[in-house]
Amino acid sequence: MFRSLHIPPEWVWLESVAVVSAAILVALVAHWLTMRIAGHAQRRTTAKTDGLVLARVRRPLRAVFVSVSVAFVARILPMDNDVEDLWKQLLGFLVPALLGWLAAAALRAFQDVIEIRADITVEDNLRARRKRTRAAILGRIGTFFIVFISVCLMLLSVPGIRSIGVTLMASAGIAGLVVGAAAQPALKNLIAGVQMAFTEPIRLDDVLIVDGEWGRVEQINLTFVVIKIWDERRLVVPVSKFLEQSFQNWTRETSQLLGSVFWYVDPATDVPRLREKLGEIVTANPRWDKRFFNLQVTDVKTDCIELRGLMTAKDAAIAFDLRCDVREALLRYMRDEMPEAMPRNRLLMAADPAGGMGSRPA
């Protein structure tokens, strides 16, 4: 087309640069207009998440606009065979990479929207934690597949690599067995991570007892889970362990818990009096959720009896503090008002045949 206009050869490259520059400028203007229209539509809505999505996809979308525009005008530029092959090779690498970047950004924006809408700071956050957990796991799986597919498309654009890939297909079965055997632990945890996204044995912010440690689920990855222990330590656990071994989940269905406190008192203690005092202590404590409490004799030993107090709270942390408060308050009451309730050892005094007084343990 350009040779038909009798443009001198030394000016062909300058015209090509001008055409490419104009295409880039048009792409930038189109991207700016698109963002302006989307931003105007976002300001007219009450949803706060629309602006977050636009912020995530702004940069990759700009790169896609520019690459598509340049690829379009490249068809009308005068090129020799070597330059044309090099240009096609560059586009074969660039376009899949930019589309993968855009897809990953859109997926990350979707995760951000889920995290904003699923507020786990509220009291009843079971559904929110379920949504966040599923979005986090599926988001990582989706990102992995996006990167994998993008890299495959980039490599398929190279004829040499494509022919090598076809040759290697014949030995794919043996290679798969070797790689599968070598990477069995990693694949095991990866498959367990996908399974956990749907079965949901644990969720984010769940309270767990794992290996005798009490903590909350802080992060769920494809192959491991990070648990924040109560003393600020971090416990890293393989995902497969939650599907193969038993553990305690204190917030599986609800965060409400029934806490217990034990006292060991003298067998002659007035238990109904202590039961009445326990009721006063529990009902006056703001940490009690007003569902249930009681006091029972659960065991009898040689020198004391075991009393168990039960009380409910809305979550594990509050239940722990409530138990500590009640334990301390009832001990203080027994010390000040019922010292006879404190356990003691007794001696039985018996008459001595020689005329004196002897003693032996009761």
Side-chain angles (χ1 to χ4, degrees):
M1 178 178 121
F2 291 98
R3 290 187 176 87
S4 64
L5 298 177
H6 305 289
I7 298 176
E10 61 271 14
W11 293 96
V12 171
W13 68 271
L14 184 60
E15 184 178 3
S16 300
V17 171
V19 172
V20 172
S21 300
I24 294 176
L25 181 61
V26 171
L28 293 177
V29 172
H31 174 266
W32 180 79
L33 289 175
T34 302
M35 291 294 101
R36 290 279 295 184
I37 295 173
H40 181 70
Q42 179 264 327
R43 286 190 294 270
R44 297 182 61 181
T45 63
T46 58
K48 299 180 180 180
T49 56
D50 295 341
L52 186 62
V53 174
L54 292 178
R56 285 286 185 183
V57 302
R58 183 183 302 273
R59 293 179 60 188
L61 191 61
R62 183 192 299 124
V64 170
F65 268 64
V66 171
S67 62
V68 171
S69 178
V70 173
F72 178 77
V73 299
R75 298 182 177 182
I76 62 175
L77 295 178
M79 300 180 187
D80 55 23
N81 293 333
D82 294 337
V83 175
E84 186 176 359
D85 292 340
L86 180 62
W87 181 252
K88 291 180 179 180
Q89 190 72 52
L90 180 62
L91 288 179
F93 272 89
L94 188 62
V95 173
L98 294 178
L99 291 178
W101 183 20
L102 178 62
L107 182 60
R108 181 56 189 165
F110 172 75
Q111 290 182 252
D112 293 339
V113 170
I114 296 296
E115 291 180 1
I116 291 177
R117 293 181 177 178
D119 186 11
I120 63 175
T121 60
V122 298
E123 181 175 344
D124 187 9
N125 60 359
L126 180 61
R127 295 183 60 186
R129 290 189 290 109
R130 177 184 291 119
K131 291 180 180 179
R132 281 202 177 191
T133 301
R134 188 166 294 178
I137 298 177
L138 295 180
R140 289 185 175 91
I141 297 173
T143 302
F144 171 78
F145 280 106
I146 288 173
V147 173
F148 178 77
I149 294 174
S150 300
V151 172
C152 290
L153 292 177
M154 292 168 64
L155 295 179
L156 286 176
S157 65
V158 183
I161 296 180
R162 184 168 58 244
S163 62
I164 293 175
V166 173
T167 305
L168 291 176
M169 287 294 291
S171 58
I174 300 176
L177 292 176
V178 174
V179 173
Q184 183 178 1
L187 293 176
K188 178 181 179 181
N189 286 315
L190 180 63
I191 295 174
V194 177
Q195 183 179 355
M196 193 166 62
F198 297 97
T199 58
E200 294 183 344
I202 62 172
R203 307 180 187 92
L204 288 173
D205 206 43
D206 266 347
V207 177
L208 307 181
I209 303 293
V210 181
D211 295 335
E213 299 283 1
W214 184 97
R216 292 182 178 272
V217 178
E218 185 178 50
Q219 185 179 1
I220 300 179
N221 296 304
L222 282 180
T223 57
F224 65 91
V225 176
V226 179
I227 299 177
K228 183 179 180 181
I229 308 301
W230 64 274
D231 57 359
E232 302 296 332
R233 290 178 294 145
R234 299 299 191 275
L235 183 65
V236 181
V237 185
V239 169
S240 59
K241 183 172 184 176
F242 293 101
L243 299 177
E244 297 176 352
Q245 300 181 16
S246 59
F247 62 94
Q248 295 184 38
N249 189 337
W250 290 11
T251 53
R252 182 69 178 90
E253 298 296 336
T254 177
S255 61
Q256 297 175 341
L257 284 180
L258 180 66
S260 61
V261 182
F262 292 89
W263 296 271
Y264 296 92
V265 299
D266 190 83
T269 300
D270 187 357
V271 177
R273 183 179 173 187
L274 283 181
R275 185 178 292 115
E276 181 181 358
K277 184 60 182 179
L278 178 70
E280 296 176 4
I281 294 173
V282 172
T283 54
N285 195 305
R287 293 186 172 95
W288 182 55
D289 63 0
K290 299 178 176 57
R291 287 192 296 129
F292 175 78
F293 76 90
N294 75 351
L295 180 70
Q296 294 176 312
V297 179
T298 53
D299 197 6
V300 177
K301 303 182 183 298
T302 57
D303 56 351
C304 65
I305 60 175
E306 181 185 76
L307 302 182
R308 184 189 68 181
L310 298 178
M311 57 219 69
T312 56
K314 66 180 182 179
D315 59 43
I318 295 179
F320 179 82
D321 293 334
L322 176 62
R323 291 165 58 203
C324 293
D325 292 346
V326 172
R327 183 185 295 113
E328 180 181 351
L330 198 62
L331 284 175
R332 186 187 308 114
Y333 174 76
M334 288 190 291
R335 181 197 65 197
D336 297 338
E337 305 294 336
M338 293 182 62
E340 69 276 9
M342 307 303 291
R344 68 198 69 189
N345 293 326
R346 290 176 171 81
L347 295 177
L348 177 62
M349 307 298 293
D352 191 346
M357 296 296 294
S359 64
R360 60 184 177 89

